[in-house]
Amino acid sequence: MNTRQTFLLGILAILFISCEQSIDNGFLINGKIEGYKNPYLYLKYGDRIDSSLVQNDAFTFMGKTRNPIKGVLSPASPNSDEKMTVGIFMLENSKINIFAKYTDGNSNIGAVKFLDIDSIHGSKSQELRKRFDVKMNNTVYNQENDSLKRIFLYDILHEFISDNPTSEMSGEYLADLSRSDNYLSIDQIESLFKLIDTSYQEKSAIESILKSIGKRQMFLIGNAPPEIILPDLEGNLINRQTLNGKVVLLEFWASWCVPCRQTNPELLNIYSTSKDSGFEILGISVDKDINKWKDAIKKDKINWLHVIDSIGISKSTFNLNSIPFNLLLNREGKIIAQNIKPMELIEILSKEL
């Protein structure tokens, strides 16, 4: 072997070692996407957007991330205005295989690019997500007893966050589960938040958790809720404080909210038997369509006080991200319960009226 051949072999060996090291230290995604017609596929993680040329339904991404992070696979640039569905998975520094499907379709908003991930292999964080989802489905989501649901939820979150304080999923799960329901107390959210390494979390998740804590502080028993002055069915302004002297249920709802509409008949029965004893319901609609709001009131025959949140205080002042939601106030206008069901309302009213 001559000197030139030896030199070339040496260079190739160095390149091979460098390539292996870069894969070992970062991530390598090898994927197949069935039915894909576009030339490029896009991957977004953190603030970074990469693209890959798709050839024979195959694509590849290489890179490096500081910690397990949410990856978003999309058929068009994430910064574009194209309508599309995306594949979300946990990205980490490992060799990951992804199998996906693509179809062009139409919806009520027009043409849509549909991308669905069938399977992912090689991401331990993705397996963590699967195991978390299984636990939640087998306990919290399959439990009708609210007391047990609260216990399961806190225990599952505490275990996951304690074991994975630097995972983006810790912040994501706490943000989602403290925002979407009231099964976590303010003390529980704060204790779980302290376990998270915030330097590894998305800014939006941190902001959401802090907002949930603030909302619960606002709705602590004994506090007076924020001011409510909104128009009624005739356009007259109703001030919530004029109802002081009565036990008042502030019921946030909308015509399109199925659980809200399903609860209306039960509330109507309670209202019919208790209104003469000093009980009032103030329905606060977050509807955008006034006619649909009025039609729902007429159809459900709910004859308590109604106002429509025309200025968005439900979100801006009350920090509400979902409905139904309610607050029960005593005769002094102070909070005595929140997010109660009709049976709980009957029990409380038997003591308050």
Side-chain angles (χ1 to χ4, degrees):
M1 184 180 294
N2 60 36
T3 303
R4 184 176 180 182
Q5 289 176 319
T6 303
F7 176 75
L8 288 174
L9 286 174
I11 292 295
L12 288 172
I14 292 172
L15 289 173
F16 177 78
I17 293 171
S18 298
C19 181
E20 284 295 306
Q21 286 178 338
S22 67
I23 294 173
D24 289 341
N25 294 331
F27 64 80
L28 171 63
I29 298 175
N30 287 313
K32 295 284 288 185
I33 181 164
E34 182 182 312
Y36 201 65
K37 303 172 184 177
N38 304 322
Y40 289 96
L41 196 65
Y42 297 84
L43 174 68
K44 184 178 189 301
Y45 56 102
D47 297 327
R48 186 178 179 88
I49 298 175
D50 283 345
S51 62
S52 171
L53 183 65
V54 180
Q55 294 180 308
N56 298 319
D57 294 339
F59 61 90
T60 301
F61 289 99
M62 290 182 64
K64 188 172 184 178
T65 178
R66 184 175 63 146
N67 58 291
I69 191 172
K70 184 165 63 180
V72 180
L73 202 63
S74 60
S77 171
N79 293 331
S80 74
D81 294 327
E82 292 194 60
K83 300 177 181 65
M84 58 186 164
T85 64
V86 298
I88 299 175
F89 65 100
M90 290 307 299
L91 177 64
E92 61 184 34
N93 293 325
S94 64
K95 294 180 182 179
I96 300 172
N97 295 317
I98 295 179
F99 298 90
K101 289 182 178 179
Y102 174 83
T103 55
D104 287 315
N106 290 290
S107 71
N108 57 356
I109 58 173
V112 179
K113 299 176 184 292
F114 291 98
L115 186 152
D116 296 302
I117 293 179
D118 269 357
S119 63
I120 299 173
H121 303 283
S123 170
K124 292 180 180 179
S125 296
Q126 187 68 22
E127 291 302 315
L128 275 178
R129 182 182 285 277
K130 286 182 181 179
R131 289 199 291 271
F132 182 89
D133 290 342
V134 168
K135 279 187 178 182
M136 290 290 289
N137 287 328
N138 291 341
T139 56
V140 177
Y141 298 140
N142 197 34
Q143 180 57 246
E144 294 183 0
N145 185 294
D146 284 345
S147 296
L148 289 176
K149 188 176 287 190
R150 290 185 178 96
I151 293 171
F152 284 134
L153 179 58
Y154 179 76
D155 287 347
I156 291 172
L157 278 173
H158 188 275
E159 179 185 21
F160 185 90
I161 294 172
S162 297
D163 292 343
N164 306 280
T166 61
S167 171
E168 260 194 13
M169 288 185 289
S170 290
E172 174 194 340
Y173 287 148
L174 183 56
D176 288 346
L177 293 168
S178 61
R179 178 178 64 239
S180 60
D181 60 52
N182 290 282
Y183 291 112
L184 293 173
S185 69
I186 184 172
D187 292 337
Q188 288 176 324
I189 297 174
E190 287 179 338
S191 67
L192 292 171
F193 188 49
K194 289 176 182 177
L195 299 174
I196 294 175
D197 188 333
T198 55
S199 62
Y200 288 89
Q201 308 303 317
E202 288 188 343
K203 182 181 177 182
S204 59
I206 299 301
E207 290 174 347
S208 179
I209 295 167
L210 294 176
K211 186 175 287 188
S212 294
I213 292 172
K215 183 173 77 173
R216 280 162 175 75
Q217 288 174 335
M218 184 192 309
F219 297 151
L220 286 175
I221 303 301
N223 285 353
E227 188 177 63
I228 297 175
I229 304 176
L230 293 170
D232 66 7
L233 289 162
E234 285 73 41
N236 301 313
L237 291 178
I238 300 295
N239 188 331
R240 193 274 306 167
Q241 292 186 352
T242 61
L243 301 176
N244 286 355
K246 293 184 177 183
V247 177
V248 179
L249 182 70
L250 304 179
E251 184 73 13
F252 292 84
W253 74 296
S255 64
W256 45 260
C257 170
V258 174
C260 304
R261 301 289 296 275
Q262 290 174 336
T263 303
N264 278 343
E266 293 180 85
L267 287 180
L268 183 57
N269 287 334
I270 298 171
Y271 183 65
S272 298
T273 58
S274 303
K275 62 180 181 179
D276 293 335
S277 300
F279 174 59
E280 186 57 75
I281 298 177
L282 179 61
I284 304 163
S285 170
V286 298
D287 274 293
K288 302 299 182 186
D289 190 315
I290 292 178
N291 291 327
K292 288 182 179 179
W293 167 56
K294 291 182 177 181
D295 288 344
I297 293 170
K298 185 177 180 180
K299 185 174 182 179
D300 292 357
K301 299 178 182 178
I302 42 180
N303 57 345
W304 50 73
L305 285 174
H306 290 282
V307 294
I308 188 164
D309 185 9
S310 54
I311 56 176
I313 66 166
S314 301
K315 183 170 287 187
S316 63
T317 303
F318 283 77
N319 291 329
L320 296 188
N321 296 287
S322 62
I323 54 171
F325 178 79
N326 61 47
L327 293 170
L328 185 63
L329 313 181
N330 63 15
R331 295 180 187 273
E332 288 72 45
K334 301 296 179 63
I335 299 169
I336 54 176
Q338 68 167 287
N339 243 22
I340 54 174
K341 297 178 180 179
M343 289 303 296
E344 296 172 294
L345 177 60
I346 291 173
E347 185 178 345
I348 297 173
L349 289 180
S350 68
K351 300 173 184 177
E352 293 289 329
L353 296 180

